[in-house]
Amino acid sequence: AQSVTQLDSHVSVSEGTPVLLRCNYSSSYSPSLFWYVQHPNKGLQLLLKYTSAATLVKGINGFEAEFKKSETSFHLTKPSAHMSDAAEYFCVVGAPTGRRALTFGSGTRLQVQP
Amino acid sequence: EPEVTQTPSHQVTQMGQEVILRCVPISNHLYFYWYRQILGQKVEFLVSFYNNEISEKSEIFDDQFSVERPDGSNFTLKIRSTKLEDSAMYFCASSADTGEAFFGQGTRLTVV
């Protein structure tokens, strides 16, 4: 079985300050991990993915995430928040080979203050 | 840039009516999915479709749901007799062999 826990339902930062969105996963196999972003009234956009290559993954819009197997974590970071980063972020764990269902975390709403 | 498109963006239907949600996946993708997100809740997997058949489905995907790929481009989700609790945002997604899914904008279904 697989599951994912996003540790914060809501994070508020000031523009220009670092962003940290926390995610822990549980999986009985070597997982694929993803971060998706959902802006208001928009679809789900892939930010980045980890698929057992480099443990530090760079994504779009300056985001990156580090896979830490010992901590079963996949936290999302950005050095400097921008107002346009305000959105809902989902940590997602992929299924093992042969299955395709993604398991979503409950989401973290990022608020960026001017 | 190729994208998944869904129609309509918003559908209102009366309880007990049938609805069909439509999706055009990315053209060279082989795997197709439906997910839903009830307001304030997690995004939940419904079904995956590959090689013209369901490859996986969740316990949510009961007999009132069906999927079809009627031609080479469309992928549909049918709900036969809608219930109030079917009100949700429904996302279509597609993927190639690499695993990550690309999602459409969603269809907001409101059952009244």
Side-chain angles (χ1 to χ4, degrees):
Chain A
Q2 57 195 34
S3 66
V4 58
T5 302
Q6 292 185 243
L7 297 164
D8 306 292
S9 60
H10 184 252
V11 170
S12 182
V13 301
S14 297
E15 191 175 21
T17 64
V19 175
L20 170 64
L21 305 183
R22 299 181 295 164
C23 171
N24 286 111
Y25 70 92
S26 172
S27 178
S28 53
Y29 48 86
S30 184
S32 298
L33 293 160
F34 310 88
W35 277 96
Y36 282 85
V37 61
Q38 184 180 28
H39 287 93
N41 301 313
K42 301 284 186 184
L44 294 157
Q45 181 184 19
L46 180 67
L47 269 182
L48 50 80
K49 65 175 181 177
Y50 166 78
T51 53
S52 76
T55 57
L56 183 62
V57 181
K58 294 189 183 299
I60 61 171
N61 301 333
F63 284 95
E64 60 183 39
E66 186 172 8
F67 173 72
K68 291 187 177 180
K69 187 175 181 179
S70 60
E71 298 176 12
T72 61
S73 69
F74 190 58
H75 301 333
L76 181 71
T77 60
K78 183 174 180 177
S80 176
H82 191 272
M83 295 297 290
S84 60
D85 294 329
E88 185 95 17
Y89 291 79
F90 295 95
C91 183
V92 179
V93 60
T97 303
R99 298 184 61 224
R100 293 281 165 171
L102 299 175
T103 299
F104 279 72
S106 53
T108 298
R109 181 161 297 280
L110 176 64
Q111 188 175 20
V112 182
Q113 309 281 2
Chain B
E1 185 177 318
E3 59 180 16
V4 177
T5 57
Q6 291 185 242
T7 54
S9 56
H10 189 193
Q11 174 136 14
V12 181
T13 188
Q14 292 211 326
M15 193 168 52
Q17 295 296 304
E18 174 183 287
V19 294
I20 297 176
L21 309 183
R22 302 180 192 279
C23 169
V24 179
I26 294 173
S27 62
N28 62 343
H29 284 181
L30 302 175
Y31 301 87
F32 313 113
Y33 318 86
W34 285 99
Y35 289 79
R36 79 172 185 189
Q37 185 182 29
I38 294 172
L39 189 64
Q41 298 186 23
K42 286 186 181 184
V43 177
E44 302 171 291
F45 168 76
L46 291 178
V47 66
S48 61
F49 192 85
Y50 171 72
N51 201 25
N52 283 320
E53 61 182 21
I54 291 173
S55 53
E56 192 180 353
K57 62 182 181 179
S58 71
E59 60 273 13
I60 302 169
F61 194 87
D62 60 22
D63 291 344
Q64 70 159 342
F65 291 94
S66 62
V67 289
E68 194 177 34
R69 188 156 162 81
D71 52 43
S73 60
N74 290 286
F75 180 51
T76 62
L77 174 70
K78 181 191 291 185
I79 309 175
R80 288 193 185 81
S81 177
T82 50
K83 305 170 192 163
L84 294 176
E85 54 265 37
D86 294 327
S87 294
M89 181 74 89
Y90 287 81
F91 291 105
C92 174
S94 67
S95 69
D97 234 1
T98 49
E100 72 266 33
F102 293 84
F103 286 79
Q105 304 281 70
T107 293
R108 181 165 298 285
L109 176 66
T110 302
V111 182
V112 297

